Amino acid sequence: MIGAGKVATHIATHLSLYTEICQVYSRTSASAEDLAAKLHCEATQDLTALYTEADVYIFSLTDNALPEVIKSVVPHLQKGVCIHTAGSLPIDVFKGVATDFGVLYPMQTFSKEKEIRWEDVPLFIEGNTPHAIAIVKKVAQYLSSSIYEINSAQRAYLHIGAVLTCNFANHLYAIAEQLFKEKGLPFHTLLPLITETTAKVQVLSPLQAQTGPAQRGDSTVIEKHLQLLEENPALQNLYRAMSEDIARYQQLYANDKL
Amino acid sequence: MIGAGKVATHIATHLSLYTEICQVYSRTSASAEDLAAKLHCEATQDLTALYTEADVYIFSLTDNALPEVIKSVVPHLQKGVCIHTAGSLPIDVFKGVATDFGVLYPMQTFSKEKEIRWEDVPLFIEGNTPHAIAIVKKVAQYLSSSIYEINSAQRAYLHIGAVLTCNFANHLYAIAEQLFKEKGLPFHTLLPLITETTAKVQVLSPLQAQTGPAQRGDSTVIEKHLQLLEENPALQNLYRAMSEDIARYQQLYANDKL
């Protein structure tokens, strides 16, 4: 396991229930040792000390670090399939360096503090050879039964979708939390609304599920909200842009709703 | 019940389990009749035909329609407390027209197609007299046990919070759905991520829960995503603005996370 961040920790912890993780590498010694202790295996922060005879190498690093680490590690490996877990990097980061390689992208948000239900996590996989695909699939099956084979170009958009629906939606929650703090309102009262909003899109298309002032073209409310946000220009701009975009979607895709 | 839209329908249907709704008014006859049939009561689309001796009048209309309807209806009422359900309108829309009046704002998103768990819905109430407050509270207690007394100025921000976390978050889902459709990707694979994102903020602050390229300052991924969105300038702008704002929050409120 090359990497000991949030994604690496969740993957390795779950995989260790079914297979042996023999070594954990991390640039920082504390992270490597924390994860290795959990997995009862060896830790290293020295890339030249990596085992070279593993069956599988999982690279779970930041997109910035990954290409460099691949270049310095992979040429020394004697065998094994190299897999990375990044949403945004193409399979080709291994090209010309590794022989059998692939990608296993778990589309989920991981926190150090919170357990994950792996059975619910969709995995998007890719491999450069039938052998690589078979091995990536085997690793994937230890984690989840929701497995999709897609290519790197599609995966890039998948990651954008994840950023939109996870990171950006969560940022809206962070903005609301801050606004509520300033106005003496309890943020937790928004939680049932947040839960219901996401429950709705489990059964309705988001376009169908849309409600609110922008959806019904209620310009009186929109103008009032923009005035109330006068003291917060960044939020005012965001409010305007999102409201205009909701109205645009309602028009553009009106027929899709029927 | 004055109004027969989504909010009116959900409120009236639940209230009718505990108390008698004697009449439904709606501008459109079909809506009035649909709801009245559910409640086994009379329907009208004539404002001059409203009962004038009810104990409570609930005005559940669009913000644009509400002030006008109040002005034309309330002077003819013989008794009763007037209540509106709008997040954005102050209690003062009743001032000088009604004697006892108030607000009951259910902070939730309502769909015609989907049942609501009323016990989970936070209600924000206000009244102009002790009698009005007592009556609004009584009506509220039929719906939910999560009741908060706040003033109109606070409620306006409450509604902005609801727009941010419900309508705007849902719009991000709609954008992702459209993008996935264009790229041949299954939108439903995003649902576990959406569910997990909202599950996280039940236990962590959104600021703490944040992940993704903007949170970790991964400019390589952000630039790649912006390039991939070249053909969709509206989405490209939104992606840039949100990423910058996430980075700004991470800096501004870094200390709040600790």
Side-chain angles (χ1 to χ4, degrees):
Chain A
M1 176 59 59
I2 297 144
K6 285 182 286 197
V7 178
T9 299
H10 281 280
I11 289 179
T13 308
H14 197 79
L15 282 183
S16 71
L17 302 174
Y18 305 100
T19 185
E20 196 202 340
I21 314 269
C22 58
Q23 193 185 34
V24 171
Y25 160 84
S26 170
R27 199 163 41 95
T28 54
S29 132
S31 309
E33 274 158 25
D34 279 0
L35 180 54
K38 255 179 136 173
L39 307 172
H40 309 290
C41 74
E42 198 190 302
T44 181
Q45 51 173 329
D46 178 4
L47 280 177
T48 66
L50 283 190
Y51 288 161
T52 59
E53 297 193 0
D55 295 318
V56 176
Y57 297 86
I58 300 179
F59 294 77
S60 196
L61 300 162
T62 66
D63 291 19
N64 286 327
L66 191 60
E68 215 175 314
V69 170
I70 287 173
K71 256 174 242 156
S72 74
V73 166
V74 177
H76 304 291
L77 306 178
Q78 318 255 333
K79 56 172 278 207
V81 175
C82 293
I83 303 173
H84 80 65
T85 62
S88 295
L89 289 179
I91 190 172
D92 287 356
V93 288
F94 289 116
K95 209 176 171 178
V97 194
T99 313
D100 291 298
F101 51 86
V103 181
L104 188 164
Y105 170 53
M107 192 162 66
Q108 188 48 281
T109 173
F110 298 92
S111 316
K112 277 252 154 91
E113 303 85 351
K114 200 172 171 302
E115 288 283 315
I116 210 86
R117 277 167 53 101
W118 271 102
E119 68 229 81
D120 290 344
V121 179
L123 303 177
F124 294 88
I125 65 168
E126 196 177 355
N128 76 317
T129 61
H131 174 61
I133 292 171
I135 295 295
V136 177
K137 206 172 267 174
K138 195 169 172 187
V139 174
Q141 281 162 346
Y142 287 140
L143 296 170
S144 166
S145 56
S146 175
I147 300 170
Y148 301 85
E149 253 190 271
I150 58 165
N151 64 38
S152 293
Q154 286 177 299
R155 195 175 53 254
Y157 285 100
L158 208 61
H159 192 210
I160 292 179
V163 168
L164 288 167
T165 56
C166 170
N167 308 149
F168 289 3
N170 184 74
H171 186 53
L172 293 171
Y173 307 154
I175 292 173
E177 184 185 36
Q178 195 54 39
L179 182 69
F180 272 37
K181 212 176 267 180
E182 286 165 17
K183 303 300 173 188
L185 291 163
F187 174 70
H188 72 87
T189 58
L190 279 170
L191 294 175
L193 178 64
I194 289 173
T195 303
E196 177 64 15
T197 302
T198 54
K200 274 169 79 169
V201 296
Q202 311 286 324
V203 292
L204 297 174
S205 141
L207 207 62
Q208 258 185 315
Q210 192 57 285
T211 58
Q215 179 267 332
R216 59 176 191 270
D218 194 335
S219 55
T220 312
V221 172
I222 295 173
E223 282 309 315
K224 200 172 297 171
H225 284 176
L226 288 171
Q227 270 174 33
L228 286 167
L229 297 175
E230 201 73 42
E231 61 194 31
N232 189 337
L235 181 48
Q236 199 188 37
N237 285 335
L238 175 73
Y239 189 101
R240 189 180 288 110
M242 288 295 276
S243 294
E244 284 170 3
D245 212 48
I246 290 173
R248 192 170 67 89
Y249 263 61
Q250 293 291 321
Q251 284 215 312
L252 261 178
Y253 306 114
N255 293 331
D256 297 4
K257 289 174 73 176
L258 302 175
Chain B
M1 177 59 60
I2 298 143
K6 285 182 284 196
V7 178
T9 299
H10 280 280
I11 289 178
T13 308
H14 197 79
L15 282 183
S16 72
L17 302 174
Y18 305 101
T19 185
E20 196 203 340
I21 314 270
C22 57
Q23 193 186 33
V24 171
Y25 160 84
S26 169
R27 202 164 40 98
T28 55
S29 134
S31 309
E33 275 158 24
D34 280 0
L35 180 54
K38 257 180 138 174
L39 306 172
H40 309 291
C41 74
E42 199 191 301
T44 182
Q45 52 173 329
D46 178 4
L47 279 178
T48 67
L50 282 191
Y51 288 160
T52 59
E53 298 192 359
D55 295 318
V56 175
Y57 298 87
I58 301 180
F59 294 79
S60 196
L61 300 162
T62 65
D63 290 20
N64 286 329
L66 190 60
E68 218 176 313
V69 171
I70 287 174
K71 256 174 243 157
S72 75
V73 165
V74 177
H76 303 292
L77 306 178
Q78 318 255 334
K79 55 172 282 204
V81 175
C82 294
I83 303 173
H84 79 66
T85 63
S88 294
L89 288 179
I91 189 172
D92 286 357
V93 288
F94 289 116
K95 210 176 171 176
V97 194
T99 313
D100 292 298
F101 51 85
V103 181
L104 189 164
Y105 170 55
M107 191 163 67
Q108 189 48 284
T109 173
F110 298 93
S111 318
K112 277 251 154 88
E113 302 85 352
K114 198 171 173 302
E115 288 282 318
I116 210 88
R117 278 167 52 101
W118 271 103
E119 68 229 81
D120 291 345
V121 179
L123 303 177
F124 294 87
I125 64 168
E126 197 177 356
N128 75 318
T129 61
H131 174 62
I133 293 171
I135 296 294
V136 177
K137 206 173 268 173
K138 196 170 170 187
V139 174
Q141 280 162 349
Y142 288 140
L143 297 170
S144 166
S145 57
S146 174
I147 300 169
Y148 301 85
E149 253 190 270
I150 58 165
N151 64 38
S152 292
Q154 287 177 297
R155 194 176 54 254
Y157 286 99
L158 209 61
H159 192 210
I160 293 179
V163 168
L164 288 167
T165 55
C166 171
N167 308 147
F168 289 3
N170 185 74
H171 186 53
L172 293 170
Y173 307 154
I175 292 173
E177 184 185 37
Q178 195 53 39
L179 182 70
F180 272 37
K181 212 176 266 178
E182 286 165 18
K183 304 300 172 188
L185 291 162
F187 174 69
H188 72 86
T189 58
L190 279 170
L191 294 176
L193 177 63
I194 288 172
T195 302
E196 176 64 15
T197 302
T198 56
K200 272 169 79 169
V201 296
Q202 311 287 323
V203 292
L204 297 173
S205 141
L207 207 62
Q208 257 185 315
Q210 191 57 284
T211 58
Q215 179 267 332
R216 59 176 192 270
D218 194 335
S219 55
T220 311
V221 172
I222 295 172
E223 282 309 315
K224 200 173 296 170
H225 285 175
L226 288 172
Q227 271 175 31
L228 287 166
L229 298 175
E230 201 72 44
E231 61 194 31
N232 189 337
L235 182 48
Q236 199 187 38
N237 286 335
L238 175 72
Y239 189 102
R240 189 181 287 111
M242 288 295 276
S243 294
E244 284 169 3
D245 212 47
I246 290 172
R248 192 170 67 89
Y249 263 61
Q250 293 290 322
Q251 284 215 314
L252 261 178
Y253 305 113
N255 294 330
D256 297 6
K257 289 173 74 177
L258 302 176

